[in-house]
Amino acid sequence: YNSYLDAGAAAQNMLLIAQALGLGAVWLTFRPDEIQALRDHYKLPAYIRVTTYLALGWPAESPISPARKTVDEAIIPTASSST
């Protein structure tokens, strides 16, 4: 069962789409008491697992993205590659 991995992949894809649309987004999780409150409020059956959520909105600011590293900066040499 890869349900947690599936949820993570779906959340990541939604974050990428939100960013492409100019939305601000953050990936968050719930505390146990919040999960129970959601279960009670929406009358969720036990087989539904509440794991994560995304907060989306129009950002008040547009921060400048940090520069990307070059390939050479990103690669960590190993002992065998230093010769």
PDB file of all heavy atoms in Angstrom, residues 23-55:
ATOM      1  N   LEU A  23      -0.141  31.120  -7.867  1.00  0.00           N
ATOM      2  CA  LEU A  23      -0.686  31.020  -6.509  1.00  0.00           C
ATOM      3  C   LEU A  23       0.435  30.758  -5.509  1.00  0.00           C
ATOM      4  O   LEU A  23       1.442  30.129  -5.835  1.00  0.00           O
ATOM      5  CB  LEU A  23      -1.691  29.871  -6.418  1.00  0.00           C
ATOM      6  CG  LEU A  23      -3.008  30.090  -7.144  1.00  0.00           C
ATOM      7  CD1 LEU A  23      -3.750  28.778  -7.272  1.00  0.00           C
ATOM      8  CD2 LEU A  23      -3.846  31.119  -6.413  1.00  0.00           C
ATOM      9  N   GLY A  24       0.246  31.232  -4.302  1.00  0.00           N
ATOM     10  CA  GLY A  24       1.110  30.844  -3.203  1.00  0.00           C
ATOM     11  C   GLY A  24       0.549  29.561  -2.609  1.00  0.00           C
ATOM     12  O   GLY A  24      -0.670  29.381  -2.553  1.00  0.00           O
ATOM     13  N   ALA A  25       1.409  28.665  -2.192  1.00  0.00           N
ATOM     14  CA  ALA A  25       0.931  27.390  -1.658  1.00  0.00           C
ATOM     15  C   ALA A  25       1.921  26.842  -0.646  1.00  0.00           C
ATOM     16  O   ALA A  25       3.123  27.074  -0.749  1.00  0.00           O
ATOM     17  CB  ALA A  25       0.732  26.380  -2.790  1.00  0.00           C
ATOM     18  N   VAL A  26       1.382  26.133   0.332  1.00  0.00           N
ATOM     19  CA  VAL A  26       2.217  25.468   1.323  1.00  0.00           C
ATOM     20  C   VAL A  26       1.582  24.121   1.649  1.00  0.00           C
ATOM     21  O   VAL A  26       0.366  23.985   1.706  1.00  0.00           O
ATOM     22  CB  VAL A  26       2.419  26.329   2.591  1.00  0.00           C
ATOM     23  CG1 VAL A  26       1.110  26.592   3.311  1.00  0.00           C
ATOM     24  CG2 VAL A  26       3.428  25.693   3.533  1.00  0.00           C
ATOM     25  N   TRP A  27       2.434  23.110   1.845  1.00  0.00           N
ATOM     26  CA  TRP A  27       2.011  21.738   2.150  1.00  0.00           C
ATOM     27  C   TRP A  27       2.087  21.578   3.656  1.00  0.00           C
ATOM     28  O   TRP A  27       3.129  21.786   4.262  1.00  0.00           O
ATOM     29  CB  TRP A  27       2.961  20.807   1.449  1.00  0.00           C
ATOM     30  CG  TRP A  27       2.716  19.346   1.548  1.00  0.00           C
ATOM     31  CD1 TRP A  27       1.806  18.689   2.307  1.00  0.00           C
ATOM     32  CD2 TRP A  27       3.442  18.343   0.830  1.00  0.00           C
ATOM     33  NE1 TRP A  27       1.909  17.343   2.109  1.00  0.00           N
ATOM     34  CE2 TRP A  27       2.909  17.110   1.206  1.00  0.00           C
ATOM     35  CE3 TRP A  27       4.477  18.371  -0.074  1.00  0.00           C
ATOM     36  CZ2 TRP A  27       3.394  15.912   0.696  1.00  0.00           C
ATOM     37  CZ3 TRP A  27       4.943  17.183  -0.575  1.00  0.00           C
ATOM     38  CH2 TRP A  27       4.401  15.962  -0.198  1.00  0.00           C
ATOM     39  N   LEU A  28       0.991  21.203   4.274  1.00  0.00           N
ATOM     40  CA  LEU A  28       0.901  21.112   5.731  1.00  0.00           C
ATOM     41  C   LEU A  28       0.311  19.774   6.162  1.00  0.00           C
ATOM     42  O   LEU A  28      -0.254  19.043   5.357  1.00  0.00           O
ATOM     43  CB  LEU A  28       0.023  22.254   6.268  1.00  0.00           C
ATOM     44  CG  LEU A  28       0.521  23.667   5.930  1.00  0.00           C
ATOM     45  CD1 LEU A  28      -0.580  24.674   6.153  1.00  0.00           C
ATOM     46  CD2 LEU A  28       1.740  24.005   6.742  1.00  0.00           C
ATOM     47  N   THR A  29       0.454  19.489   7.446  1.00  0.00           N
ATOM     48  CA  THR A  29      -0.151  18.296   8.025  1.00  0.00           C
ATOM     49  C   THR A  29      -1.004  18.700   9.226  1.00  0.00           C
ATOM     50  O   THR A  29      -0.953  19.833   9.677  1.00  0.00           O
ATOM     51  CB  THR A  29       0.919  17.287   8.487  1.00  0.00           C
ATOM     52  OG1 THR A  29       1.784  17.939   9.419  1.00  0.00           O
ATOM     53  CG2 THR A  29       1.733  16.772   7.308  1.00  0.00           C
ATOM     54  N   PHE A  30      -1.777  17.758   9.716  1.00  0.00           N
ATOM     55  CA  PHE A  30      -2.683  18.004  10.829  1.00  0.00           C
ATOM     56  C   PHE A  30      -2.135  17.439  12.133  1.00  0.00           C
ATOM     57  O   PHE A  30      -1.469  16.407  12.136  1.00  0.00           O
ATOM     58  CB  PHE A  30      -4.036  17.320  10.577  1.00  0.00           C
ATOM     59  CG  PHE A  30      -4.777  17.841   9.385  1.00  0.00           C
ATOM     60  CD1 PHE A  30      -4.780  17.150   8.191  1.00  0.00           C
ATOM     61  CD2 PHE A  30      -5.498  19.017   9.472  1.00  0.00           C
ATOM     62  CE1 PHE A  30      -5.481  17.610   7.093  1.00  0.00           C
ATOM     63  CE2 PHE A  30      -6.211  19.493   8.381  1.00  0.00           C
ATOM     64  CZ  PHE A  30      -6.200  18.788   7.188  1.00  0.00           C
ATOM     65  N   ARG A  31      -2.481  18.088  13.226  1.00  0.00           N
ATOM     66  CA  ARG A  31      -2.240  17.505  14.545  1.00  0.00           C
ATOM     67  C   ARG A  31      -3.346  16.465  14.783  1.00  0.00           C
ATOM     68  O   ARG A  31      -4.407  16.526  14.172  1.00  0.00           O
ATOM     69  CB  ARG A  31      -2.333  18.584  15.636  1.00  0.00           C
ATOM     70  CG  ARG A  31      -1.253  19.642  15.570  1.00  0.00           C
ATOM     71  CD  ARG A  31      -1.343  20.595  16.773  1.00  0.00           C
ATOM     72  NE  ARG A  31      -2.701  20.925  17.171  1.00  0.00           N
ATOM     73  CZ  ARG A  31      -3.337  22.055  16.826  1.00  0.00           C
ATOM     74  NH1 ARG A  31      -2.758  22.952  16.069  1.00  0.00           N
ATOM     75  NH2 ARG A  31      -4.572  22.279  17.249  1.00  0.00           N
ATOM     76  N   PRO A  32      -3.106  15.506  15.670  1.00  0.00           N
ATOM     77  CA  PRO A  32      -4.125  14.476  15.925  1.00  0.00           C
ATOM     78  C   PRO A  32      -5.484  15.061  16.331  1.00  0.00           C
ATOM     79  O   PRO A  32      -6.529  14.549  15.896  1.00  0.00           O
ATOM     80  CB  PRO A  32      -3.518  13.643  17.049  1.00  0.00           C
ATOM     81  CG  PRO A  32      -2.036  13.783  16.844  1.00  0.00           C
ATOM     82  CD  PRO A  32      -1.843  15.203  16.367  1.00  0.00           C
ATOM     83  N   ASP A  33      -5.495  16.121  17.140  1.00  0.00           N
ATOM     84  CA  ASP A  33      -6.779  16.700  17.554  1.00  0.00           C
ATOM     85  C   ASP A  33      -7.501  17.358  16.368  1.00  0.00           C
ATOM     86  O   ASP A  33      -8.735  17.354  16.305  1.00  0.00           O
ATOM     87  CB  ASP A  33      -6.603  17.703  18.696  1.00  0.00           C
ATOM     88  CG  ASP A  33      -5.711  18.872  18.329  1.00  0.00           C
ATOM     89  OD1 ASP A  33      -4.589  18.646  17.832  1.00  0.00           O
ATOM     90  OD2 ASP A  33      -6.128  20.030  18.537  1.00  0.00           O
ATOM     91  N   GLU A  34      -6.747  17.884  15.411  1.00  0.00           N
ATOM     92  CA  GLU A  34      -7.369  18.462  14.216  1.00  0.00           C
ATOM     93  C   GLU A  34      -7.981  17.373  13.340  1.00  0.00           C
ATOM     94  O   GLU A  34      -9.064  17.558  12.771  1.00  0.00           O
ATOM     95  CB  GLU A  34      -6.330  19.246  13.402  1.00  0.00           C
ATOM     96  CG  GLU A  34      -5.826  20.492  14.094  1.00  0.00           C
ATOM     97  CD  GLU A  34      -4.692  21.159  13.352  1.00  0.00           C
ATOM     98  OE1 GLU A  34      -3.786  20.444  12.868  1.00  0.00           O
ATOM     99  OE2 GLU A  34      -4.723  22.389  13.256  1.00  0.00           O
ATOM    100  N   ILE A  35      -7.294  16.247  13.256  1.00  0.00           N
ATOM    101  CA  ILE A  35      -7.832  15.131  12.469  1.00  0.00           C
ATOM    102  C   ILE A  35      -9.163  14.677  13.054  1.00  0.00           C
ATOM    103  O   ILE A  35     -10.138  14.470  12.333  1.00  0.00           O
ATOM    104  CB  ILE A  35      -6.824  13.968  12.410  1.00  0.00           C
ATOM    105  CG1 ILE A  35      -5.602  14.383  11.589  1.00  0.00           C
ATOM    106  CG2 ILE A  35      -7.464  12.703  11.824  1.00  0.00           C
ATOM    107  CD1 ILE A  35      -4.462  13.391  11.610  1.00  0.00           C
ATOM    108  N   GLN A  36      -9.221  14.560  14.371  1.00  0.00           N
ATOM    109  CA  GLN A  36     -10.463  14.122  14.999  1.00  0.00           C
ATOM    110  C   GLN A  36     -11.578  15.149  14.796  1.00  0.00           C
ATOM    111  O   GLN A  36     -12.726  14.791  14.540  1.00  0.00           O
ATOM    112  CB  GLN A  36     -10.255  13.859  16.495  1.00  0.00           C
ATOM    113  CG  GLN A  36     -11.439  13.163  17.144  1.00  0.00           C
ATOM    114  CD  GLN A  36     -11.799  11.861  16.449  1.00  0.00           C
ATOM    115  OE1 GLN A  36     -10.959  11.008  16.255  1.00  0.00           O
ATOM    116  NE2 GLN A  36     -13.058  11.703  16.065  1.00  0.00           N
ATOM    117  N   ALA A  37     -11.242  16.426  14.871  1.00  0.00           N
ATOM    118  CA  ALA A  37     -12.244  17.475  14.648  1.00  0.00           C
ATOM    119  C   ALA A  37     -12.794  17.406  13.219  1.00  0.00           C
ATOM    120  O   ALA A  37     -14.000  17.560  13.001  1.00  0.00           O
ATOM    121  CB  ALA A  37     -11.649  18.848  14.933  1.00  0.00           C
ATOM    122  N   LEU A  38     -11.901  17.159  12.242  1.00  0.00           N
ATOM    123  CA  LEU A  38     -12.351  17.012  10.861  1.00  0.00           C
ATOM    124  C   LEU A  38     -13.233  15.780  10.693  1.00  0.00           C
ATOM    125  O   LEU A  38     -14.266  15.826  10.015  1.00  0.00           O
ATOM    126  CB  LEU A  38     -11.151  16.899   9.925  1.00  0.00           C
ATOM    127  CG  LEU A  38     -10.392  18.186   9.652  1.00  0.00           C
ATOM    128  CD1 LEU A  38      -9.074  17.881   8.962  1.00  0.00           C
ATOM    129  CD2 LEU A  38     -11.224  19.132   8.818  1.00  0.00           C
ATOM    130  N   ARG A  39     -12.818  14.676  11.317  1.00  0.00           N
ATOM    131  CA  ARG A  39     -13.625  13.450  11.240  1.00  0.00           C
ATOM    132  C   ARG A  39     -15.028  13.686  11.789  1.00  0.00           C
ATOM    133  O   ARG A  39     -16.020  13.270  11.184  1.00  0.00           O
ATOM    134  CB  ARG A  39     -12.976  12.326  12.040  1.00  0.00           C
ATOM    135  CG  ARG A  39     -11.765  11.763  11.412  1.00  0.00           C
ATOM    136  CD  ARG A  39     -11.352  10.467  12.116  1.00  0.00           C
ATOM    137  NE  ARG A  39     -10.321   9.833  11.342  1.00  0.00           N
ATOM    138  CZ  ARG A  39     -10.507   9.271  10.159  1.00  0.00           C
ATOM    139  NH1 ARG A  39     -11.687   9.235   9.629  1.00  0.00           N
ATOM    140  NH2 ARG A  39      -9.503   8.737   9.506  1.00  0.00           N
ATOM    141  N   ASP A  40     -15.089  14.366  12.935  1.00  0.00           N
ATOM    142  CA  ASP A  40     -16.386  14.627  13.560  1.00  0.00           C
ATOM    143  C   ASP A  40     -17.236  15.579  12.716  1.00  0.00           C
ATOM    144  O   ASP A  40     -18.422  15.334  12.494  1.00  0.00           O
ATOM    145  CB  ASP A  40     -16.195  15.208  14.963  1.00  0.00           C
ATOM    146  CG  ASP A  40     -15.531  14.234  15.919  1.00  0.00           C
ATOM    147  OD1 ASP A  40     -15.485  13.019  15.624  1.00  0.00           O
ATOM    148  OD2 ASP A  40     -15.024  14.697  16.961  1.00  0.00           O
ATOM    149  N   HIS A  41     -16.621  16.655  12.249  1.00  0.00           N
ATOM    150  CA  HIS A  41     -17.364  17.679  11.505  1.00  0.00           C
ATOM    151  C   HIS A  41     -17.926  17.131  10.193  1.00  0.00           C
ATOM    152  O   HIS A  41     -19.073  17.387   9.848  1.00  0.00           O
ATOM    153  CB  HIS A  41     -16.466  18.887  11.232  1.00  0.00           C
ATOM    154  CG  HIS A  41     -17.162  19.979  10.488  1.00  0.00           C
ATOM    155  ND1 HIS A  41     -18.042  20.842  11.113  1.00  0.00           N
ATOM    156  CD2 HIS A  41     -17.132  20.336   9.176  1.00  0.00           C
ATOM    157  CE1 HIS A  41     -18.518  21.689  10.212  1.00  0.00           C
ATOM    158  NE2 HIS A  41     -17.969  21.407   9.030  1.00  0.00           N
ATOM    159  N   TYR A  42     -17.088  16.397   9.445  1.00  0.00           N
ATOM    160  CA  TYR A  42     -17.515  15.890   8.136  1.00  0.00           C
ATOM    161  C   TYR A  42     -18.048  14.467   8.184  1.00  0.00           C
ATOM    162  O   TYR A  42     -18.374  13.888   7.148  1.00  0.00           O
ATOM    163  CB  TYR A  42     -16.357  15.975   7.141  1.00  0.00           C
ATOM    164  CG  TYR A  42     -15.993  17.408   6.809  1.00  0.00           C
ATOM    165  CD1 TYR A  42     -14.848  17.995   7.331  1.00  0.00           C
ATOM    166  CD2 TYR A  42     -16.816  18.184   6.001  1.00  0.00           C
ATOM    167  CE1 TYR A  42     -14.519  19.307   7.045  1.00  0.00           C
ATOM    168  CE2 TYR A  42     -16.498  19.494   5.704  1.00  0.00           C
ATOM    169  CZ  TYR A  42     -15.350  20.054   6.230  1.00  0.00           C
ATOM    170  OH  TYR A  42     -15.034  21.353   5.941  1.00  0.00           O
ATOM    171  N   LYS A  43     -18.123  13.896   9.393  1.00  0.00           N
ATOM    172  CA  LYS A  43     -18.633  12.534   9.579  1.00  0.00           C
ATOM    173  C   LYS A  43     -17.895  11.543   8.670  1.00  0.00           C
ATOM    174  O   LYS A  43     -18.493  10.754   7.943  1.00  0.00           O
ATOM    175  CB  LYS A  43     -20.139  12.483   9.346  1.00  0.00           C
ATOM    176  CG  LYS A  43     -20.917  13.363  10.311  1.00  0.00           C
ATOM    177  CD  LYS A  43     -22.391  13.380   9.978  1.00  0.00           C
ATOM    178  CE  LYS A  43     -23.205  14.233  10.931  1.00  0.00           C
ATOM    179  NZ  LYS A  43     -22.734  15.554  11.211  1.00  0.00           N
ATOM    180  N   LEU A  44     -16.558  11.601   8.725  1.00  0.00           N
ATOM    181  CA  LEU A  44     -15.732  10.739   7.881  1.00  0.00           C
ATOM    182  C   LEU A  44     -15.701   9.320   8.421  1.00  0.00           C
ATOM    183  O   LEU A  44     -15.507   9.113   9.616  1.00  0.00           O
ATOM    184  CB  LEU A  44     -14.299  11.280   7.821  1.00  0.00           C
ATOM    185  CG  LEU A  44     -14.129  12.666   7.205  1.00  0.00           C
ATOM    186  CD1 LEU A  44     -12.684  13.112   7.313  1.00  0.00           C
ATOM    187  CD2 LEU A  44     -14.596  12.679   5.767  1.00  0.00           C
ATOM    188  N   PRO A  45     -15.873   8.335   7.557  1.00  0.00           N
ATOM    189  CA  PRO A  45     -15.780   6.948   8.002  1.00  0.00           C
ATOM    190  C   PRO A  45     -14.335   6.595   8.343  1.00  0.00           C
ATOM    191  O   PRO A  45     -13.386   7.246   7.904  1.00  0.00           O
ATOM    192  CB  PRO A  45     -16.278   6.148   6.795  1.00  0.00           C
ATOM    193  CG  PRO A  45     -16.142   7.054   5.633  1.00  0.00           C
ATOM    194  CD  PRO A  45     -16.226   8.460   6.141  1.00  0.00           C
ATOM    195  N   ALA A  46     -14.165   5.536   9.110  1.00  0.00           N
ATOM    196  CA  ALA A  46     -12.845   5.139   9.610  1.00  0.00           C
ATOM    197  C   ALA A  46     -11.865   4.775   8.495  1.00  0.00           C
ATOM    198  O   ALA A  46     -10.662   4.911   8.673  1.00  0.00           O
ATOM    199  CB  ALA A  46     -12.991   3.971  10.577  1.00  0.00           C
ATOM    200  N   TYR A  47     -12.365   4.319   7.340  1.00  0.00           N
ATOM    201  CA  TYR A  47     -11.449   3.902   6.277  1.00  0.00           C
ATOM    202  C   TYR A  47     -10.790   5.088   5.554  1.00  0.00           C
ATOM    203  O   TYR A  47      -9.838   4.901   4.804  1.00  0.00           O
ATOM    204  CB  TYR A  47     -12.145   2.987   5.269  1.00  0.00           C
ATOM    205  CG  TYR A  47     -13.209   3.657   4.430  1.00  0.00           C
ATOM    206  CD1 TYR A  47     -12.870   4.297   3.236  1.00  0.00           C
ATOM    207  CD2 TYR A  47     -14.536   3.642   4.810  1.00  0.00           C
ATOM    208  CE1 TYR A  47     -13.835   4.908   2.464  1.00  0.00           C
ATOM    209  CE2 TYR A  47     -15.503   4.253   4.049  1.00  0.00           C
ATOM    210  CZ  TYR A  47     -15.155   4.880   2.877  1.00  0.00           C
ATOM    211  OH  TYR A  47     -16.114   5.495   2.118  1.00  0.00           O
ATOM    212  N   ILE A  48     -11.264   6.298   5.779  1.00  0.00           N
ATOM    213  CA  ILE A  48     -10.645   7.473   5.163  1.00  0.00           C
ATOM    214  C   ILE A  48      -9.556   7.985   6.085  1.00  0.00           C
ATOM    215  O   ILE A  48      -9.797   8.264   7.261  1.00  0.00           O
ATOM    216  CB  ILE A  48     -11.682   8.574   4.881  1.00  0.00           C
ATOM    217  CG1 ILE A  48     -12.640   8.106   3.796  1.00  0.00           C
ATOM    218  CG2 ILE A  48     -10.987   9.878   4.485  1.00  0.00           C
ATOM    219  CD1 ILE A  48     -13.723   9.098   3.446  1.00  0.00           C
ATOM    220  N   ARG A  49      -8.334   8.092   5.545  1.00  0.00           N
ATOM    221  CA  ARG A  49      -7.193   8.592   6.325  1.00  0.00           C
ATOM    222  C   ARG A  49      -6.936  10.047   5.969  1.00  0.00           C
ATOM    223  O   ARG A  49      -6.704  10.376   4.821  1.00  0.00           O
ATOM    224  CB  ARG A  49      -5.943   7.772   6.044  1.00  0.00           C
ATOM    225  CG  ARG A  49      -5.983   6.424   6.710  1.00  0.00           C
ATOM    226  CD  ARG A  49      -4.680   5.709   6.523  1.00  0.00           C
ATOM    227  NE  ARG A  49      -4.835   4.832   5.365  1.00  0.00           N
ATOM    228  CZ  ARG A  49      -3.844   4.224   4.750  1.00  0.00           C
ATOM    229  NH1 ARG A  49      -2.615   4.397   5.134  1.00  0.00           N
ATOM    230  NH2 ARG A  49      -4.075   3.440   3.727  1.00  0.00           N
ATOM    231  N   VAL A  50      -6.975  10.897   6.955  1.00  0.00           N
ATOM    232  CA  VAL A  50      -6.665  12.311   6.762  1.00  0.00           C
ATOM    233  C   VAL A  50      -5.168  12.456   7.004  1.00  0.00           C
ATOM    234  O   VAL A  50      -4.677  12.175   8.095  1.00  0.00           O
ATOM    235  CB  VAL A  50      -7.470  13.184   7.747  1.00  0.00           C
ATOM    236  CG1 VAL A  50      -7.140  14.654   7.551  1.00  0.00           C
ATOM    237  CG2 VAL A  50      -8.962  12.940   7.587  1.00  0.00           C
ATOM    238  N   THR A  51      -4.421  12.877   5.961  1.00  0.00           N
ATOM    239  CA  THR A  51      -2.972  12.897   6.095  1.00  0.00           C
ATOM    240  C   THR A  51      -2.345  14.264   5.884  1.00  0.00           C
ATOM    241  O   THR A  51      -1.383  14.618   6.556  1.00  0.00           O
ATOM    242  CB  THR A  51      -2.312  11.930   5.096  1.00  0.00           C
ATOM    243  OG1 THR A  51      -2.712  12.288   3.782  1.00  0.00           O
ATOM    244  CG2 THR A  51      -2.690  10.500   5.389  1.00  0.00           C
ATOM    245  N   THR A  52      -2.847  15.047   4.943  1.00  0.00           N
ATOM    246  CA  THR A  52      -2.174  16.291   4.583  1.00  0.00           C
ATOM    247  C   THR A  52      -3.150  17.250   3.934  1.00  0.00           C
ATOM    248  O   THR A  52      -4.262  16.872   3.588  1.00  0.00           O
ATOM    249  CB  THR A  52      -0.998  15.982   3.623  1.00  0.00           C
ATOM    250  OG1 THR A  52      -0.201  17.144   3.462  1.00  0.00           O
ATOM    251  CG2 THR A  52      -1.460  15.491   2.273  1.00  0.00           C
ATOM    252  N   TYR A  53      -2.741  18.495   3.805  1.00  0.00           N
ATOM    253  CA  TYR A  53      -3.545  19.458   3.068  1.00  0.00           C
ATOM    254  C   TYR A  53      -2.658  20.552   2.499  1.00  0.00           C
ATOM    255  O   TYR A  53      -1.514  20.710   2.907  1.00  0.00           O
ATOM    256  CB  TYR A  53      -4.655  20.048   3.934  1.00  0.00           C
ATOM    257  CG  TYR A  53      -4.196  20.967   5.049  1.00  0.00           C
ATOM    258  CD1 TYR A  53      -4.268  22.354   4.902  1.00  0.00           C
ATOM    259  CD2 TYR A  53      -3.724  20.455   6.255  1.00  0.00           C
ATOM    260  CE1 TYR A  53      -3.865  23.189   5.924  1.00  0.00           C
ATOM    261  CE2 TYR A  53      -3.330  21.298   7.277  1.00  0.00           C
ATOM    262  CZ  TYR A  53      -3.404  22.667   7.102  1.00  0.00           C
ATOM    263  OH  TYR A  53      -3.010  23.495   8.118  1.00  0.00           O
ATOM    264  N   LEU A  54      -3.200  21.276   1.531  1.00  0.00           N
ATOM    265  CA  LEU A  54      -2.500  22.400   0.925  1.00  0.00           C
ATOM    266  C   LEU A  54      -3.269  23.670   1.226  1.00  0.00           C
ATOM    267  O   LEU A  54      -4.484  23.711   1.085  1.00  0.00           O
ATOM    268  CB  LEU A  54      -2.401  22.236  -0.594  1.00  0.00           C
ATOM    269  CG  LEU A  54      -1.731  20.977  -1.123  1.00  0.00           C
ATOM    270  CD1 LEU A  54      -1.760  20.973  -2.641  1.00  0.00           C
ATOM    271  CD2 LEU A  54      -0.316  20.869  -0.616  1.00  0.00           C
ATOM    272  N   ALA A  55      -2.554  24.694   1.648  1.00  0.00           N
ATOM    273  CA  ALA A  55      -3.139  26.026   1.797  1.00  0.00           C
ATOM    274  C   ALA A  55      -2.755  26.802   0.547  1.00  0.00           C
ATOM    275  O   ALA A  55      -1.581  26.875   0.191  1.00  0.00           O
ATOM    276  CB  ALA A  55      -2.607  26.704   3.049  1.00  0.00           C
TER     277      ALA A  55
END
